[in-house]
Amino acid sequence: MDFSNLRGDYSNIRPDYTVDQNWADYTEEEHALWRRLYRRMIGLMPDHAAKPYNDGLHRLDCADGVPNLEKASDKLEKLTGFRLVAVPGLVPDDVFFDHLANRRFPVTVWLRTPEEFDYLVEPDIFHDFFGHVPLLSDPVFADFLEAYGKKGPEAIEHGGLKYLARLYWYMVEFGLINTPEGLRIYGAGILSSSGETVYSLTDKRSNRIGFDLERVMRTDYAIDDYQKTYFVVEKFEDLFDACDRDFKPIYKKYGEAEPIAKDAVLPEDRLYKPEAPRMPMTG
Ligand code: HBI
Ligand code: FE
């Protein structure tokens, strides 16, 4: 992995790519930027985010500034056994999988600059913590992430990396869940973006397709725009149960075949209607 073009400081990494967070070193400006980012998102959460995400976010109580990962880990560990580990940024796949398989979630330590308020290329601590960490408090989703991580070594050995990456992309970063109140968001890549939070539930230019493991694993994605396709689960158990299958036959069957286009709709796809746009909070 070429770290020279990555944002983070990889000069002090331990063998497992973890670093010290040095929480006392964050500046008042960084804490103020965190509060601005948090305030922009929090008003959207009640109507757009899934209940398990909202419950986790409230438990973490991270409105006041950049969170201390050790303190958040002490809360999380009591709920699902997950702890957070500080990392400089993206880490190699095998390292990432090993952390998840051992209920450790890697959280980037640096925070975006005010100029990057609306968009940044690499995940920063706001994306990782505000986007991913609340759902680590959900027992079933936590079980899924551990099972997902345990699939890593076999995928590396059997040419399945891109299939596993698509599963993470669509179901951890951009996943939707169907509820009696309608579609709700749990994907971290959506919940750390105010624009995509509204877009993902309501915009007719994208499709919402029922989760199917092979369909997701075969579907291409773009990293620099809103998603053309969102996959929908009925319950988190669907993700955990999907990991109960042997993935090697899928890797073998599709190998280096052309992926399904990111905006494709296939005859067997189960389509979900977009949500009606919600009136902005008045008053
Ligand atoms: N590293 N720190 C970090 N965070 C991620 O989300 C991450 C990663 N390395 C690889 C990766 N994600 C994806 O390729 C997963 O699909 C494996
Ligand atoms: Fe992420």
Side-chain angles (χ1 to χ4, degrees), residues 1 87 89-93 96-97 105-108 123 127-128 132 148 161 164-166 168-169 173 221:
M1 200 162 174
V87 293
L90 293 175
V91 301
D93 288 333
F96 185 68
F97 294 135
F105 193 87
V107 177
T108 299
H127 165 80
D128 279 344
H132 286 283
Y148 174 87
L161 259 187
L164 215 44
R166 290 169 184 157
Y168 189 87
W169 183 265
E173 297 291 359
Y221 60 83

Side-chain angles (χ1 to χ4, degrees), residues 4 20 32 48 64 69 83 93 99 110 123 125 137 141 154 159 161 163-164 214 218 232 258 265-266 272:
S4 58
D20 295 331
H48 294 81
D64 295 342
L69 301 186
R83 290 196 68 82
D93 288 333
H99 280 308
W110 56 266
I125 191 167
S137 65
F141 198 79
E154 170 189 276
L161 259 187
Y163 295 101
L164 215 44
E214 288 191 29
R218 296 175 57 202
V232 183
E258 273 300 292
V265 177
L266 306 182
Y272 289 77

Side-chain angles (χ1 to χ4, degrees), residues 19-26 66-70 86 109 125:
V19 292
D20 295 331
Q21 182 185 16
N22 296 324
W23 183 80
D25 294 352
Y26 291 104
V66 179
N68 179 308
L69 301 186
E70 278 306 298
V109 292
I125 191 167

Side-chain angles (χ1 to χ4, degrees), residues 97 148 151-165 167 213-214 217-218 245-257:
F97 294 135
Y148 174 87
K151 292 286 188 183
E154 170 189 276
I156 291 171
E157 192 185 335
H158 294 269
L161 259 187
K162 64 173 171 295
Y163 295 101
L164 215 44
L167 180 60
L213 181 70
E214 288 191 29
M217 283 189 157
R218 296 175 57 202
R245 283 179 56 178
D246 181 359
F247 288 178
K248 291 195 293 301
I250 300 174
Y251 303 156
K252 192 167 167 47
K253 180 175 177 185
Y254 298 107
E256 299 311 311

Side-chain angles (χ1 to χ4, degrees), residues 166-167 170-171 209-219 230-233 238-239 242 245 250 254 260 266 268-270 272:
R166 290 169 184 157
L167 180 60
Y170 278 116
M171 303 325 291
I209 299 174
F211 171 69
D212 171 90
L213 181 70
E214 288 191 29
R215 176 66 165 89
V216 170
M217 283 189 157
R218 296 175 57 202
T219 304
Y230 297 98
F231 287 98
V232 183
V233 292
D238 298 345
L239 298 171
R245 283 179 56 178
I250 300 174
Y254 298 107
I260 297 169
L266 306 182
E268 64 271 24
D269 287 340
R270 288 175 290 116
Y272 289 77

